[in-house]
Amino acid sequence: MTDTNVEAAKRAAAQQAVADHFDPSASFVGIGSGTTIVYVVEAIKERSTNPSVLFVPTGYQSRQLVINAGLTPISFDSIPDRVMLDVAFDGADEVDTELNCIKGGGACLFQEKLVAERAKKFVCVADYRKRQDRLLTNWPTIPIEVAPLSQHKVEASLRLLGSTNPKLRTTLLEKSGPLKTDQHFFIIDAPFPALLTSADVAAGKGKGDGSDGTWEVNNISKAIKGLTGVLEVGIFSGMNGNDAQALRAKDGALSAVTGGQKPIAVYFGMADGSVKLRTADGEQ
Ligand SMILES: O=C[C@H](O)[C@H](O)[C@H](O)COP(=O)(O)O
């Protein structure tokens, strides 16, 4: 499959997601990071008729995308208290059947999680390579953002949790050395065996708590997040996206959704040009 197919798949998924979820009269719209979000911004630009919509970026690249499209950015910490974003769009590195996602392949995950949690609707857009039954099927590692001082300690802890060879992400561009995130932190990429869904655990496919070598998505995410030195884990999981959306829509329910970062919908651009939509109700 050529890169042209992949790019066409991303664009098709983005067009569909924006047609279904971008309301030009929205007040606040979250914009994720990566290569697929470029097509989302392109689609929003085509439909944007209201210059007062404010776009909340999730990092440097994302902010530049918003500005270059002639849209107006607002930083996450300038959003008024208790105000929710109408919708947030983002890419994903892999998505399972329960809509859990791996993110952070482009070193953005912390700000993406802040924005996803703050949105009434979180919508993901991806190409067919990301559409899997379980996380860590095709995508090899969990990206983890850590404080530089804690790198070795976190790597050692990840080995104890069962990661075979956690590695500091480095860059050879311009200057070799550790890649730095927008927070000036490091990224550790930690390989684990494919992660069980909650349905897998219910069906007895493994305990999912690490004791038998299997990890369920939410359990491994919590275990890694609990390590001192970890700022964020590139697993977006927790509450079902529909339930989280209902809670987020209720004034004052913000704290109740902590830990619920799943999208309500994932649009996959397919190799044949079609778009598949995965939600809590299944796939069409
Ligand atoms: O760190 C990057 C973000 O989490 C991206 O949204 C994710 O890696 C997907 O990126 P892409 O759209 O380039 O596949």
Side-chain angles (χ1 to χ4, degrees):
M1 203 54 66
T2 65
D3 283 354
T4 318
N5 288 90
V6 172
E7 296 309 308
K10 291 177 187 177
R11 178 177 269 125
Q15 287 284 344
Q16 191 62 52
V18 169
D20 290 354
H21 294 283
F22 175 66
D23 176 354
S25 66
S27 301
F28 296 96
V29 175
I31 298 295
S33 315
T35 56
T36 314
I37 201 71
V38 172
Y39 298 111
V40 169
V41 172
E42 178 185 279
I44 287 176
K45 179 71 183 156
E46 286 165 16
R47 286 173 174 76
S48 187
T49 48
N50 173 9
S52 63
V53 184
L54 296 173
F55 292 86
V56 187
T58 50
Y60 181 87
Q61 176 234 357
S62 171
R63 185 164 184 276
Q64 294 308 307
L65 264 181
V66 168
I67 292 170
N68 292 342
L71 305 171
T72 309
I74 178 174
S75 68
F76 180 80
D77 58 359
S78 299
I79 303 164
D81 274 357
R82 303 176 79 84
V83 167
M84 303 292 289
L85 312 189
D86 298 278
V87 62
F89 296 95
D90 208 340
D93 298 310
E94 202 160 56
V95 184
D96 73 13
T97 48
E98 295 182 344
L99 302 182
N100 300 301
C101 302
I102 290 197
K103 293 180 51 52
C108 297
L109 53 105
F110 169 63
Q111 295 189 42
E112 291 184 342
K113 211 173 253 194
L114 287 177
V115 168
E117 284 188 352
R118 190 71 177 264
K120 290 181 196 163
K121 292 195 291 185
F122 175 43
V123 175
C124 276
V125 182
D127 63 76
Y128 50 90
R129 299 170 303 173
K130 322 295 185 60
R131 177 176 166 264
Q132 301 293 341
D133 289 346
R134 293 183 183 81
L135 299 184
L136 300 183
T137 297
N138 191 33
W139 188 263
T141 56
I142 303 174
I144 303 159
E145 185 164 357
V146 303
L149 188 65
S150 68
Q151 178 211 335
H152 296 294
K153 177 259 170 197
V154 172
E155 284 174 358
S157 302
L158 287 166
R159 282 190 207 95
L160 290 175
L161 290 175
S163 180
T164 38
N165 191 15
K167 276 207 175 120
L168 179 70
R169 197 182 297 180
T170 53
T171 172
L172 294 175
L173 298 172
E174 306 294 335
K175 166 187 171 293
S176 60
L179 178 146
K180 292 271 189 85
T181 68
D182 287 330
Q183 287 65 242
H184 307 288
F185 272 30
F186 289 172
I187 295 281
I188 294 174
D189 291 304
F192 280 90
L195 302 180
L196 301 183
T197 61
S198 58
D200 287 334
V201 174
K205 293 189 177 161
K207 289 186 181 164
D209 60 2
S211 62
D212 60 356
T214 66
W215 281 105
E216 183 269 340
V217 175
N218 292 285
N219 289 342
I220 190 64
S221 179
K222 281 184 202 144
I224 296 173
K225 182 72 190 277
L227 302 175
T228 303
V230 170
L231 176 65
E232 246 331 317
V233 187
I235 291 179
F236 285 46
S237 64
M239 194 177 295
N240 172 303
N242 290 338
D243 296 341
Q245 182 186 340
L247 272 174
R248 287 167 189 165
K250 277 194 206 161
D251 187 43
L254 203 54
S255 61
V257 299
T258 303
Q261 310 107 7
K262 276 201 234 183
I264 57 151
V266 182
Y267 290 78
F268 295 104
M270 303 304 292
D272 65 1
S274 65
V275 175
K276 281 195 189 297
L277 169 60
R278 193 178 275 186
T279 68
D281 299 326
E283 198 169 271
Q284 44 184 284

